């Protein structure tokens, strides 16, 4: 938060890969953050759960407000295997850097 101005994690397990983000997004009631540690919130617009421990950005909330995006949020919230399958496919493409049929190389510049 010292760089972006936002405060808090999206989930209670921020270092794991799971569908928890989608479950939190659907299962919680999100309200605009107005205070922080008893003082007026002076950071950028963000939302918080009823405990004030978790946060979502406006771009996250749009995922549940838009009916086309919401169907994916609901699918992933209900079915972790579906999320992991799709996440794995996309992150695999990202890590491959768009290369098709990777071949073994001896070094970075080979």
């Amino acid at each position: 938060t010292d760089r972006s101005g936002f405060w808090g994690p999206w989930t209670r397990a921020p270092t794991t890969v799971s569908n928890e983000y989608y479950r939190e997004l659907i299962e919680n009631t999100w309200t605009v953050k107005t205070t922080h540690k008893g003082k007026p919130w002076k950071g950028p617009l963000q939302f918080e759960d009823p405990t004030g421990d978790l946060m979502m950005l406006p771009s996250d909330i749009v995922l549940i407000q838009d009916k086309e995006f919401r169907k994916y949020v609901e699918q992933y919230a209900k079915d972790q295997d579906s999320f992991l399958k799709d996440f794995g496919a996309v992150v695999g493409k990202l890590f491959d850097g768009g290369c098709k049929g990777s071949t073994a190389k001896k070094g970075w510049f080979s």
Side-chain angles (χ1 to χ4, degrees):
T1 61
D2 61 334
R3 304 283 188 283
S4 69
F6 296 106
W7 184 88
W10 282 269
T11 72
R12 298 187 194 290
T15 60
T16 63
V17 177
S18 73
N19 67 338
E20 185 178 355
Y21 166 83
Y22 296 101
R23 288 187 297 105
E24 294 288 359
L25 196 52
I26 290 286
E27 294 170 7
N28 272 318
T29 300
W30 298 96
T31 57
V32 173
K33 184 173 186 67
T34 58
T35 61
H36 182 69
K37 297 184 178 181
K39 297 181 181 175
W41 173 246
K42 295 182 180 178
L45 175 64
Q46 71 176 67
F47 296 81
E48 63 184 2
D49 75 328
T51 69
D53 294 336
L54 300 178
M55 72 96 168
M56 292 287 170
L57 303 178
S59 55
D60 300 309
I61 299 301
V62 166
L63 296 175
I64 56 175
Q65 292 174 335
D66 182 277
K67 73 177 189 174
E68 290 299 312
F69 283 119
R70 187 178 179 101
K71 65 185 176 186
Y72 295 105
V73 173
E74 290 173 349
Q75 174 185 336
Y76 292 153
K78 290 177 191 170
D79 186 356
Q80 178 163 279
D81 290 339
S82 175
F83 165 70
L84 292 175
K85 178 181 175 235
D86 290 349
F87 178 80
V90 170
V91 92
K93 286 181 184 179
L94 177 66
F95 291 167
D96 285 343
C99 298
K100 296 188 187 287
S102 300
T103 58
K105 297 182 179 181
K106 291 183 180 182
W108 183 262
F109 297 103
S110 302

